[in-house]
Amino acid sequence: MTDREPLLDPVLDPAAMRKQYRAEGLAEQDLATHPMDQFARWFEDAARAALHGTVYEPNAMIVSTADAAGRPSSRTVLMKQFDTDGFVFYTNYNSRKARDLAENPHISLLFPWHPLARQVIVTGTAQRTGRDETAAYFRTRPHGSQLGAWASAQSTAIASRAELQAAYDDLASRYPEGEQVPVPPHWGGYRITPETIEFWQGRENRLHDRLRYTATPAGPWQTERLSP
């Protein structure tokens, strides 16, 4: 098969894949005044859908960053908090995403709730959370996840899976279940302050609803409809 030879099996051919969205629409008059209140409504819908097995990990979001030269990278992480001020996730401060954010604090988040034919797209800036906030969240993590934060030198090359497992096993022997694991100094949170938040609702014939909030210097959020 050449690089440009089409796939004959429609099951495997991306160009033949079609999904007709018939979901209920999103109208301007139904929007909350504040985008985080609108997010809370949609997140509740996604969380309830997860209880029925329709949505998997509703707090999963694609985080996109770019380095100082503008080279982008994306990965999926778990959002662990949201409030009026924005969104919070946690990571290794030596990871690629953290190195990008140290050079360029601009960031994009995407919540892909495909079974609901919904997406939420956020653009904004990232800032590290305080150590007290980081420590408070770290204490809520399962014991194994606390050890994992120490065992993994995230985004660096390692010789083998066995090397990673050996590092974890060594930590598990030093900090057995029930013993407090110290918070790694190289691990912590980022708070994303939104500049825009777009709510995307899939509609029939690709005439999707796209309503975007944009922060203004005066304070109130401005809303507008985008063409699909």
Side-chain angles (χ1 to χ4, degrees):
M1 178 182 293
T2 66
D3 289 344
R4 294 185 178 276
E5 184 178 340
L7 294 169
L8 299 180
D9 186 346
V11 174
L12 302 176
D13 184 1
M17 296 176 181
R18 295 285 185 273
K19 177 68 175 177
Q20 184 67 281
Y21 302 126
R22 300 179 183 274
E24 195 173 302
L26 179 63
E28 286 85 343
Q29 61 267 27
D30 296 330
L31 287 177
T33 302
H34 197 286
M36 295 308 295
D37 292 332
Q38 182 64 37
F39 180 83
R41 294 176 184 176
W42 272 26
F43 185 75
E44 180 178 355
D45 291 343
R48 293 190 184 282
L51 291 176
H52 297 93
T54 306
V55 171
Y56 183 72
E57 289 193 315
N59 62 325
M61 60 183 184
I62 299 167
V63 171
S64 297
T65 58
D67 62 17
R71 290 181 292 259
S73 61
S74 299
R75 73 289 290 162
T76 302
V77 306
L78 298 178
M79 181 267 294
K80 287 299 179 181
Q81 180 187 342
F82 70 92
D83 53 31
T84 304
D85 295 327
F87 306 85
V88 176
F89 70 90
Y90 292 86
T91 190
N92 187 309
Y93 284 148
N94 295 321
S95 65
R96 178 175 178 177
K97 71 179 84 62
R99 294 196 303 271
D100 282 356
L101 291 172
E103 298 175 344
N104 178 358
H106 295 285
I107 190 169
S108 175
L109 314 177
L110 168 64
F111 293 86
W113 297 322
H114 300 303
L116 302 180
R118 286 177 174 177
Q119 303 179 75
V120 178
I121 304 102
V122 180
T123 65
T125 55
Q127 184 176 22
R128 289 188 182 189
T129 59
R131 293 311 292 173
D132 288 346
E133 184 176 354
T134 290
Y137 170 70
F138 187 79
R139 298 287 172 233
T140 70
R141 287 165 61 93
H143 182 73
S145 296
Q146 294 182 16
L147 297 178
W150 278 101
S152 171
Q154 196 174 98
S155 300
T156 62
I158 56 175
S160 65
R161 173 78 189 190
E163 178 183 315
L164 179 64
Q165 189 64 51
Y168 180 90
D169 291 343
D170 177 64
L171 286 160
S173 65
R174 285 191 284 154
Y175 301 103
E177 188 76 44
E179 187 168 331
Q180 188 174 87
V181 179
V183 182
H186 57 271
W187 188 94
Y190 283 99
R191 179 173 295 278
I192 312 307
T193 301
E195 295 171 356
T196 68
I197 304 182
E198 178 187 330
F199 293 86
W200 183 101
Q201 176 69 70
R203 299 296 302 276
E204 193 173 15
N205 299 319
R206 295 298 186 264
L207 299 179
H208 312 308
D209 288 326
R210 297 177 59 190
L211 298 180
R212 181 174 65 187
Y213 293 79
T214 301
T216 63
W221 289 81
Q222 182 181 66
T223 58
E224 58 190 345
R225 176 176 288 270
L226 305 178
S227 176

